Amino acid sequence: MSAREEILGRVRSALEGVDRTGTVPPAPRVTPVADLVGRFAERVEDYRAVVERCSEADLASRVAAALPAGARVVVPPGLGVEVPGARVDDGLSAAELDALDAVVTEAVVGIAETGTIVLDHGPGQGRRIISLVPDRHVCIVRAAQVVADVPDAIAVLDPARPLTWISGPSATSDIELNRVEGVHGPRVLHVLVVD
């Protein structure tokens, strides 16, 4: 018997006779705010991300402005905005993605309370790797996609899909709390909130 089988056997033994039909207590909820999208933008900025609000008509020009001049950009198939000169991901390798400067994606949900954006890697979001390797991530969140808190986000997400939850640029801190950005993902997160 492997260690894994032994551990799982102990867990199963411990759960024998446990009533699994009990009710799950409701998740704690946040106090509603009048400006949900404003709260979302404020919380995203707390993570040192750049946040801009724009109209649908201005979206293409704001995406272009969020990208450095001459940037090599990858976009996922099905992105809802034209990014001139961008390469559509067709299964680029990690090395090919590492040679690119930025990625533009769309989110499936924005969470106001935590300033988190969630990608479920459907159309306009692409493979998980494209949101992690390029050093700049420009993400589009539509105001209608912003929900109050995590329970609201869970309610609209498909648990069968792979989910990537992003709260600010990739960052970590050492024992002296010196922040280092870009360790496990993009150093720059630029969120465009479309009203």
Side-chain angles (χ1 to χ4, degrees), residues 77-103:
L79 185 70
V81 63
E82 181 72 24
V83 182
R87 185 171 179 181
V88 177
D89 177 46
D90 58 358
L92 297 170
S93 69
E96 290 171 315
L97 288 169
D98 194 39
L100 299 173
D101 302 305
V103 59

Side-chain angles (χ1 to χ4, degrees), residues 46-117:
D46 286 345
Y47 291 111
R48 298 187 189 173
V50 177
V51 181
E52 292 183 78
R53 294 176 76 163
C54 66
S55 66
E56 190 73 42
D58 293 335
L59 180 59
S61 64
R62 298 299 278 272
V63 168
L67 298 168
R72 295 161 294 169
V73 181
V74 62
V75 297
L79 185 70
V81 63
E82 181 72 24
V83 182
R87 185 171 179 181
V88 177
D89 177 46
D90 58 358
L92 297 170
S93 69
E96 290 171 315
L97 288 169
D98 194 39
L100 299 173
D101 302 305
V103 59
V104 180
T105 69
E106 296 171 305
V108 67
V109 169
I111 305 173
E113 182 63 18
T114 61
T116 303
I117 55 178

Side-chain angles (χ1 to χ4, degrees), residues 36-187:
L36 197 61
V37 177
R39 167 71 61 88
F40 171 72
E42 177 187 301
R43 295 290 166 91
V44 173
E45 285 177 328
D46 286 345
Y47 291 111
R48 298 187 189 173
V50 177
V51 181
E52 292 183 78
R53 294 176 76 163
C54 66
S55 66
E56 190 73 42
D58 293 335
L59 180 59
S61 64
R62 298 299 278 272
V63 168
L67 298 168
R72 295 161 294 169
V73 181
V74 62
V75 297
L79 185 70
V81 63
E82 181 72 24
V83 182
R87 185 171 179 181
V88 177
D89 177 46
D90 58 358
L92 297 170
S93 69
E96 290 171 315
L97 288 169
D98 194 39
L100 299 173
D101 302 305
V103 59
V104 180
T105 69
E106 296 171 305
V108 67
V109 169
I111 305 173
E113 182 63 18
T114 61
T116 303
I117 55 178
V118 183
L119 283 63
D120 71 359
H121 305 288
Q125 299 169 47
R127 299 178 301 145
R128 186 169 192 230
I129 192 171
I130 71 169
S131 66
L132 297 176
V133 176
D135 204 35
R136 176 180 298 262
H137 183 185
V138 177
C139 189
I140 300 163
V141 181
R142 290 181 167 72
Q145 296 175 305
V146 176
V147 298
D149 55 17
V150 172
D152 286 346
I154 295 293
V156 298
L157 293 169
D158 180 352
R161 296 194 58 83
L163 302 173
T164 301
W165 297 57
I166 302 168
S167 296
S170 170
T172 189
S173 294
D174 63 17
I175 197 167
E176 295 178 357
L177 300 179
N178 294 317
R179 183 179 165 108
V180 178
E181 296 180 342
V183 177
H184 307 292
R187 277 186 286 187

